[in-house]
């Protein structure tokens, strides 16, 4: 298996622009997680899905953030409009079961100028 | 509620010496405990986990962790550190009781630096 795939690996954009991050989980995994990592806040859980359904989005910082999972093999995290404080590394992870080992993608390093 | 603490932001150790990265937790019931490692510019990788059974858990790359219920700790250890072990280490906990969160909570991470 190729593991969790994220794209793009790096994104540089200007404030106010829309940013879309993409994730392909490991086949057969029924949980998908989006995390944000910064020096100041560490690793934060933004939202997670079970069988493509959003279960808990309480970690999503603002309405500017939205996430979708249209099918079992694809999820997006969208920021619109983006702001400099959104600059971070965004990770997608998947697991087979809610309490099981999570497998992380390589991350998307986002820089908003 | 569940929580996890990694009391040290950074741990420094000389190559060849034993290393310990500390983790303490708080749960209502019994814990599920995990250790992950993050190398520079990479995602987190699973190292080991404790669900039940033997208090000493062995994992990848020669790492092990000891579950101590009385001290609510799950410290990560390795008998002989390598320079290549230098990375960011995360502890995570999930409460096994039905009233707890079903998703593991991650600590803030501990940076391990192994000096040649």
């Amino acid at each position: 298996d190729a593991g969790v795939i994220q794209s793009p690996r790096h994104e540089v954009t200007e404030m106010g622009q829309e940013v879309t991050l993409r994730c392909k989980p490991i086949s057969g995994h029924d949980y998908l997680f989006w995390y944000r990592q910064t020096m100041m806040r560490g690793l934060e859980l933004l939202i997670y899905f079970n069988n493509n359904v959003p279960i808990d989005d309480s970690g999503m910082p603002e309405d500017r953030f939205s996430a979708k999972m249209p099918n079992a093999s694809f999820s997006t995290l969208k920021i619109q409009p983006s702001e400099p404080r959104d600059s971070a590394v965004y990770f997608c992870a998947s697991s087979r079961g809610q309490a099981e080992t999570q497998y992380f993608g390589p991350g998307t390093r986002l820089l908003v100028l | 509620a569940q929580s996890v603490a990694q009391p040290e932001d950074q741990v420094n150790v000389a190559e060849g010496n034993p290393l310990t990265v500390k983790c303490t937790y708080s749960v209502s019931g019994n814990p599920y405990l995990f250790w992950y490692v993050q190398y520079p510019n990479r995602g987190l990788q699973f190292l080991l986990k404790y669900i039940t059974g033997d208090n000493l858990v062995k994992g990848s790359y020669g790492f092990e962790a000891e579950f101590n219920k009385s001290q609510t700790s799950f410290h990560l250890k390795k008998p002989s550190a390598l320079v290549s072990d230098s990375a960011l280490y995360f502890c995570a906990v999930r409460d096994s009781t039905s009233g707890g969160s079903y998703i593991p909570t991650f600590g803030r991470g501990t940076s391990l630096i192994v000096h040649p």
Side-chain angles (χ1 to χ4, degrees), chain A residues 64-99:
Chain A
R64 298 184 295 106
F65 286 70
S66 63
K68 294 181 180 180
M69 193 166 184
N71 57 61
S73 59
F74 184 67
S75 176
T76 60
L77 178 67
K78 186 175 293 187
I79 308 172
Q80 167 63 18
S82 59
E83 296 183 3
R85 58 191 168 129
D86 301 331
S87 298
V89 182
Y90 291 81
F91 289 104
C92 175
S94 69
S95 68
R96 192 192 307 271
Q98 59 194 7

